[in-house]
Amino acid sequence: MANIIAVVWDFDKTLVKGYMQDPIFEKFNVVPKEFWDTVNDLPRKYREEQDVNVNKDTIYLNHFINLAKAGTFPGLNNEMLKKLGAELMFYDGIPDIFEETHKLINDNSKFREFNIKVEHYVVSTGMKKMIEGSKIAEHIESIWGCELIESRDESGNMVISELGYTIDNTSKTRALFEINKGVNKHKELDVNSKIDETNRRVAFENMIYIADGPSDIPAFSVVNKNGGATFAIYPKNDDKAFSQVEQMRKDGRINMYAEADYSQGTTSYMWITKKVAEFANRIYETEKRKLTGSVAEPPKHIT
């Protein structure tokens, strides 16, 4: 087991203000509310018209593909998604807090003694290419998100045309197990590979999961159950979002919550950095006990 602290982030409304798709809507003059109203009605539509159930978390991707084919999003492909990712607006303190947590660990000699480090991950139901194109990408160890396959349109241009890989709010837990087992670092491994707990790359008890609401309850549950830490975010002045996270706290779903501002001195900044330090100190003390417990007394002169 490596001495790694993993801070795992949701994306929409956790790191960015609103939804990551907003730059796409702005570029193509699409009204976001109309798009999402249509998407929210698709489960009912397909159930009534075709007696087919759909995944509510990822059906929006099908709608994007259909609109791209219909010409509403002309030329929308992975390269464009990546470029539009650079326009995403993050909450205050992002990406600075990523570097602050690294500095917190790297500047402490006792943590370096046992090679303790912190890594940041994103697990999102959003579009992976947009996250890869955003300003936080260089600070993130690995990204889990939805990916789209391209094909050529009638004009010979590459456009999104099929679903490639999807993450929904339940399968986010799969991503947590992949982090736990180190699947992202060792491609020969599979999430279903049997790996002894002591040989897994990131212990669940060293994970901090940060997200914005009830849809992340499955992931919160996995981390809580296994001794990690959970933290929820709500946008400033959003009474409904505040009530949701407060209820989650009352229900024991999360350890703590705060307003979505990661600037130094805010509750979010202090809780996250102190939790990283707390985990690092626990790992240090554990490693120190292992070391001292394995040392035998040196031979002495017999008198």
Side-chain angles (χ1 to χ4, degrees):
M1 182 81 70
N3 291 330
I4 297 169
I5 300 162
V7 186
V8 186
W9 303 79
D10 177 37
F11 197 79
D12 291 342
K13 296 186 176 181
T14 297
L15 289 169
V16 294
K17 303 173 181 179
Y19 293 101
M20 69 168 68
Q21 294 81 16
D22 288 344
I24 305 174
F25 300 143
E26 185 174 350
K27 178 177 177 62
F28 294 106
N29 297 312
V30 170
V31 179
K33 186 177 186 305
E34 293 179 2
F35 177 91
W36 293 118
D37 282 348
T38 300
V39 167
N40 290 335
D41 190 53
L42 289 177
R44 179 205 60 78
K45 170 183 168 65
Y46 289 127
R47 186 173 56 253
E48 293 181 0
E49 294 180 0
Q50 303 182 33
D51 194 25
V52 170
N53 290 319
V54 301
N55 188 320
K56 294 179 181 179
D57 296 331
T58 57
I59 190 62
Y60 82 93
L61 295 166
N62 297 72
H63 197 47
F64 262 105
I65 290 170
N66 289 334
L67 290 181
K69 291 177 178 178
T72 302
F73 299 126
L76 184 62
N77 55 28
N78 286 323
E79 181 182 1
M80 187 183 294
L81 289 174
K82 203 165 183 177
K83 288 180 179 177
L84 290 171
E87 299 178 14
L88 290 170
M89 300 297 292
F90 289 84
Y91 286 120
D92 292 342
I94 301 295
D96 297 343
I97 193 170
F98 301 140
E99 292 309 305
E100 288 298 320
T101 57
H102 286 300
K103 188 173 183 292
L104 177 70
I105 300 300
N106 297 337
D107 288 355
N108 192 315
S109 59
K110 76 175 188 179
F111 296 153
R112 292 199 304 271
E113 179 183 350
F114 292 109
N115 196 30
I116 300 170
K117 60 181 179 177
V118 60
E119 296 176 346
H120 291 267
Y121 295 86
V122 168
V123 179
S124 171
T125 60
M127 298 167 167
K128 184 179 179 181
K129 292 300 180 186
M130 293 198 74
I131 303 171
E132 289 178 341
S134 75
K135 69 178 182 180
I136 71 163
E138 63 183 287
H139 304 276
I140 301 299
E141 195 72 23
S142 293
I143 299 167
W144 277 260
C146 299
E147 302 198 61
L148 300 168
I149 298 169
E150 303 172 336
S151 62
R152 295 195 182 279
D153 63 13
E154 294 178 354
S155 301
N157 300 313
M158 299 299 289
V159 295
I160 57 172
S161 59
E162 297 178 71
L163 298 179
Y165 180 87
T166 60
I167 285 278
D168 60 29
N169 289 318
T170 302
S171 61
K172 281 184 174 185
T173 60
R174 181 186 68 213
L176 295 178
F177 278 97
E178 291 184 351
I179 296 169
N180 168 242
K181 294 183 177 183
V183 173
N184 57 310
K185 295 294 184 179
H186 304 285
K187 301 303 181 184
E188 70 278 11
L189 297 178
D190 183 87
V191 69
N192 295 316
S193 299
K194 183 175 176 58
I195 304 173
D196 188 88
E197 291 285 346
T198 58
N199 293 326
R200 298 188 182 193
R201 187 170 184 273
V202 182
F204 277 109
E205 66 179 13
N206 295 338
M207 285 189 193
I208 303 169
Y209 189 82
I210 304 169
D212 69 294
S215 60
D216 283 278
I217 283 176
F220 283 137
S221 178
V222 168
V223 175
N224 282 332
K225 181 181 177 182
N226 290 280
T230 50
F231 188 73
I233 286 294
Y234 69 92
K236 184 177 182 179
N237 294 325
D238 190 329
D239 185 68
K240 182 178 179 181
F242 174 85
S243 297
Q244 281 187 338
V245 295
E246 168 61 7
Q247 188 61 50
M248 289 165 63
R249 183 196 64 79
K250 288 180 178 178
D251 293 341
R253 306 284 194 178
I254 56 172
N255 301 141
M256 181 70 171
Y257 66 84
E259 182 181 309
D261 183 344
Y262 303 96
S263 306
Q264 285 195 31
T266 62
T267 300
S268 296
Y269 176 91
M270 290 189 291
W271 191 91
I272 293 167
T273 54
K274 288 184 182 299
K275 188 59 66 174
V276 168
E278 175 189 319
F279 281 14
N281 278 303
R282 171 172 46 75
I283 294 170
Y284 172 81
E285 293 299 332
T286 299
E287 292 297 329
K288 191 174 178 181
R289 284 195 299 272
K290 286 182 188 175
L291 181 62
T292 55
S294 66
V295 176
E297 288 190 17
K300 300 177 181 179
H301 292 289
I302 299 174
T303 58

